[in-house]
Amino acid sequence: MKGRFLLYTQLILFVGLVVSCVTEFQPDKVSIAPSLIVEGTITNQPGPYSVKMTRTADYSYKSLNLLETGATVIISDNLGNQETLKEQAPGGTYQTSATGIRGVVGRTYKLTIRTRNGEQYESAPEVLKASPPMDRIYYEYRYDPQETNNGRANGWDVYVDTKDPETTGDYYRWEWTHYEFTFVCAKVYVFGSPSGYYSGIPCCSNCWDIKRCYINCINIMSDVNVNGNSISRQFIQRVPYDASTPYYLEVTQQSLSKGIYDFFKSSRQQVSNTGGLFDAAPASIGGNIHSTSNASLKAYGYFGAVGVSEGYILIDRSKAVGSPVSTADPVIINSLATCVTCANDQYRTPNKPRWWPN
């Protein structure tokens, strides 16, 4: 008994020593100098073109980028044509006019920036290269019986076929945009028993919701392995079964410079890193923006000249297995409410999509 008591005493003393030796770890604050970030392109399609500018915040304060307002932003070409972009509310985004400068295949473009505090930046010149036409946009229905969610079990995989030119050094990117007609331009939650619901306020005019891919969507390719040959079954998107109505999808094929291709490639690698042992070490992604007033100022992002070819497809979802599964909140339209103007931004538009069926 005495030995057991001694053992307990030693154990308590040991635990006490361990606890007393634990010191809370206070990591050093990470701080970086505020730097300009630029995102924008000019294409051979009609404008307006947008340039978004933010500035990195001090990470020891908050991990947000701050809108860069009050700057003078100019797009110019090698023939002397230029346009000063107009800042859009709430700020940080600068846009050309709808009838302003337009990208022309074969011309060289650059971006010039003068910030509100007098810093000056410039992008490296980029030649706008034509994108080959897309030969075919098509879809294939695929059902996965192992998937428990019927909205994901049914799906339509969209593909593109195109032809790579004989020239070497061609680089591509594919993007998609989904438009869906909406009667509701605002909604209000109504509390009730046993449960509440959303009351939908109708739009004052025709209106379309816009959906794009924002996460893990850098869909790029180099022609290094296919030069001069066909590019077949280039995957674009898997369309979900969230309704049985037709699904309208626009697809853009972009011809990139090597510089912007490398920029997107590095960005994709950083986004897809999982923190595994053999992942590439995180690194800042530069771009083609540099300061012309102070070489010590860092800038990130890219302004590119991009050739674009476009097309659309209308997907029939009426013959899928079972019922669709929507993740949207159910809305009851309040026909007596005062209508709301349809917004015209990246998420909604009153302008009918280019190939929308009548």
Side-chain angles (χ1 to χ4, degrees):
M1 187 73 174
K2 184 177 179 180
R4 184 179 298 178
F5 175 77
L6 181 60
L7 178 62
Y8 287 161
T9 302
Q10 291 173 336
L11 180 60
I12 292 170
L13 287 172
F14 174 74
V15 172
L17 287 171
V18 170
V19 172
S20 66
C21 289
V22 175
T23 302
E24 183 180 358
F25 173 66
Q26 295 289 347
D28 294 332
K29 289 183 178 180
V30 177
S31 179
I32 62 173
S35 301
L36 190 67
I37 302 175
V38 179
E39 307 167 59
T41 57
I42 184 171
T43 76
N44 58 319
Q45 297 298 312
Y49 312 114
S50 295
V51 174
K52 182 179 179 181
M53 298 202 306
T54 55
R55 193 170 289 268
T56 58
D58 190 328
Y59 281 2
S60 64
Y61 170 55
K62 55 184 177 180
S63 56
L64 296 173
N65 289 340
L66 309 176
L67 299 178
E68 184 70 17
T69 60
T72 301
V73 181
I74 299 172
I75 296 176
S76 59
D77 67 16
N78 58 316
L79 298 184
N81 301 298
Q82 66 176 43
E83 181 177 355
T84 300
L85 282 63
K86 183 178 180 180
E87 187 171 6
Q88 308 296 301
T93 298
Y94 301 79
Q95 195 173 80
T96 63
S97 66
T99 58
I101 193 169
R102 178 170 175 175
V104 177
V105 170
R107 293 187 187 176
T108 301
Y109 294 87
K110 72 175 181 178
L111 187 72
T112 305
I113 301 164
R114 183 180 179 87
T115 65
R116 186 167 52 184
N117 62 5
E119 297 171 1
Q120 297 182 50
Y121 298 86
E122 210 174 77
S123 69
E126 287 232 329
V127 177
L128 199 158
K129 189 175 181 179
S131 171
M134 291 178 284
D135 297 328
R136 184 183 174 210
I137 306 173
Y138 56 101
Y139 65 89
E140 296 175 359
Y141 170 71
R142 181 165 55 87
Y143 178 73
D144 182 4
Q146 304 299 320
E147 176 59 62
T148 56
N149 183 297
N150 200 53
R152 293 194 296 266
N154 293 272
W156 294 262
D157 295 334
V158 180
Y159 300 94
V160 162
D161 290 347
T162 190
K163 176 73 166 57
D164 180 66
E166 296 291 341
T167 56
T168 59
D170 293 302
Y171 305 93
Y172 301 98
R173 184 186 186 193
W174 291 270
E175 292 186 306
W176 59 263
T177 306
H178 166 56
Y179 293 88
E180 185 173 350
F181 190 84
T182 181
F183 295 97
V184 176
C185 279
K187 59 184 181 180
V188 178
Y189 188 76
V190 179
F191 293 93
S193 180
S195 61
Y197 65 94
Y198 281 98
S199 175
I201 302 175
C203 305
C204 295
S205 63
N206 287 343
C207 193
W208 286 263
D209 285 332
I210 304 172
K211 182 180 180 181
R212 298 180 176 89
C213 189
Y214 294 102
I215 302 174
N216 296 331
C217 304
I218 304 177
N219 189 0
I220 56 175
M221 192 191 80
S222 164
D223 73 345
V224 64
N225 294 319
V226 296
N227 184 57
N229 295 314
S230 295
I231 300 173
S232 300
R233 295 179 61 81
Q234 175 62 44
F235 179 74
I236 302 299
Q237 181 209 5
R238 180 169 170 83
V239 172
Y241 187 36
D242 54 9
S244 56
T245 53
Y247 190 94
Y248 177 92
L249 188 73
E250 293 187 3
V251 179
T252 62
Q253 177 175 282
Q254 303 175 357
S255 180
L256 310 177
S257 67
K258 186 178 188 305
I260 196 168
Y261 170 81
D262 289 339
F263 175 81
F264 283 134
K265 185 177 179 181
S266 298
S267 301
R268 184 175 65 180
Q269 183 179 30
Q270 293 293 323
V271 170
S272 61
N273 277 355
T274 61
L277 180 61
F278 299 104
D279 279 350
S284 60
I285 302 169
N288 70 339
I289 310 294
H290 65 278
S291 173
T292 57
S293 58
N294 186 342
S296 66
L297 292 175
K298 296 292 185 182
Y300 302 94
Y302 210 100
F303 177 76
V306 175
V308 171
S309 56
E310 298 179 306
Y312 86 102
I313 190 169
L314 198 61
I315 298 164
D316 180 5
R317 298 187 291 176
S318 64
K319 299 176 183 178
V321 176
S323 301
V325 179
S326 176
T327 58
D329 297 314
V331 176
I332 299 175
I333 298 178
N334 183 356
S335 59
L336 299 178
T338 302
C339 68
V340 173
T341 301
C342 178
N344 190 13
D345 53 31
Q346 62 178 333
Y347 303 108
R348 185 168 285 173
T349 180
N351 303 317
K352 185 170 76 171
R354 182 174 175 182
W355 295 284
W356 187 263
N358 295 324

